[in-house]
Amino acid sequence: SMVQTAIMLFCIVVGASALLQRATPSLAASVATPALTQRAATPAMGLLGRVAGRLRPKRKLNIPVIEVGSVLPAVEVEVVPPNATTEGLAESVSLNIAEALGEGKSFLIGMPGAFTPTCTDLHLPGLIQSAKTLGDYGVSNIAVVTTNDRWVISAWRDSLRECVGFGDSSLTYLADGDGDLVKALGLVEDMGFGVGLRSKRFALMVEDGVVTRVEVDEGMDELRTTGADNLLQIAKPPEVEAEEASEMDRKTLLGGAAVALLTAVAFFSPG
């Protein structure tokens, strides 16, 4: 039957993998090295081991997420200098996250990684384009943090500037290379084989070091609550909302009056 055939093929693959592993000497064992520096040969994983490794499930991390009203953890991050380049990266500055954000109202935006598709194509460009309006709404700092080193973040920023064609001097870039900050915030996730532990996609509104809003998008691709459009709504002052509502009412009233006028003209027009 098909089931018996599948089982037989599986056994053949397992047996062949085991024989190949025993028959092929490792490269480390075949190269002569001095006794003091010689390392033990790394065991070969075999076909099934390699396949299983790439299909491993994501590890669940039971770390509580920071809550509204909490003070930011006392964790240091690297502030990537605004004039940094990969050829001559200026010396970075390590600051406590509260110091890096500064006083007043700010947004701390976490992204899974530099050069990843959603971060590069949508998330970061949206923030850059909305930075001025957010500033008008009273946001003093927009800081982007990823679990990359400062060289990668600098190259990412520079490449995006060249592709998009506009600057981003209004944003602050933070390197959390060891993931200490996102772990302390409870906003870290295992993204799977080949990616590992990364920052979740999140947005924290912070006022003078205290968290006032927490937004999280799950996975590496989703972008809804942490995107620029939603952050503009969150940061919009009440007086701006009232003004926009009043303008909408005025347009609705004018539209209704225009329709009534056209109806009257049509009704009273001769034959």
Side-chain angles (χ1 to χ4, degrees):
S1 65
M2 293 183 64
V3 174
Q4 291 175 330
T5 302
I7 294 174
M8 184 179 299
L9 289 174
F10 178 81
C11 294
I12 291 173
V13 170
V14 172
S17 178
L19 289 174
L20 182 60
Q21 181 175 339
R22 294 175 185 174
T24 305
S26 67
L27 179 61
S30 64
V31 177
T33 56
L36 293 178
T37 60
Q38 188 172 2
R39 298 179 179 178
T42 303
M45 292 180 63
L47 176 61
L48 292 180
R50 290 195 295 270
V51 173
R54 285 162 175 75
L55 297 178
R56 73 162 177 83
K58 294 181 179 181
R59 302 182 182 94
K60 294 184 178 180
L61 306 176
N62 296 318
I63 305 176
V65 178
I66 193 167
E67 298 179 346
V68 171
S70 301
V71 177
L72 287 174
V75 178
E76 289 193 348
V77 291
E78 280 190 291
V79 181
V80 181
N83 60 340
T85 63
T86 52
E87 290 79 15
L89 190 63
E91 185 176 353
S92 66
V93 177
S94 293
L95 292 176
N96 183 289
I97 183 58
E99 294 177 310
L101 294 178
E103 298 179 351
K105 183 188 299 182
S106 59
F107 274 117
L108 176 62
I109 313 297
M111 300 187 191
F115 293 105
T116 55
T118 301
C119 302
T120 304
D121 297 338
L122 298 173
H123 204 176
L124 186 55
L127 292 175
I128 295 172
Q129 291 173 322
S130 303
K132 184 181 182 305
T133 304
L134 287 170
D136 294 340
Y137 288 171
V139 177
S140 58
N141 194 2
I142 305 169
V144 176
V145 61
T146 70
T147 46
N148 300 108
D149 61 63
R150 58 191 173 112
W151 286 276
V152 171
I153 294 175
S154 177
W156 180 41
R157 178 190 58 194
D158 293 345
S159 66
L160 188 62
R161 182 186 295 124
E162 293 176 2
C163 293
V164 178
F166 51 80
D168 56 352
S169 58
S170 56
L171 270 62
T172 301
Y173 291 84
L174 306 176
D176 185 27
D178 292 329
D180 292 339
L181 174 62
V182 294
K183 291 174 186 174
L185 294 172
L187 293 167
V188 61
E189 182 179 353
D190 178 18
M191 299 291 183
F193 178 82
V195 182
L197 294 182
R198 294 295 184 102
S199 168
K200 284 191 172 186
R201 193 179 304 282
F202 68 84
L204 301 182
M205 176 177 273
V206 180
E207 293 190 37
D208 298 323
V210 178
V211 177
T212 60
R213 185 86 176 226
V214 179
E215 301 289 345
V216 180
D217 285 322
E218 297 298 334
M220 295 191 69
D221 301 324
E222 183 176 317
L223 178 62
R224 295 187 302 107
T225 63
T226 64
D229 290 343
N230 191 47
L231 300 188
L232 287 168
Q233 294 301 317
I234 293 172
K236 186 181 296 183
E239 57 270 22
V240 175
E241 289 187 355
E243 183 179 344
E244 289 180 350
S246 177
E247 179 66 16
M248 182 64 70
D249 291 342
R250 187 182 70 84
K251 290 181 178 180
T252 302
L253 183 62
L254 289 175
V259 171
L261 179 60
L262 291 173
T263 302
V265 170
F267 181 80
F268 290 106
S269 295

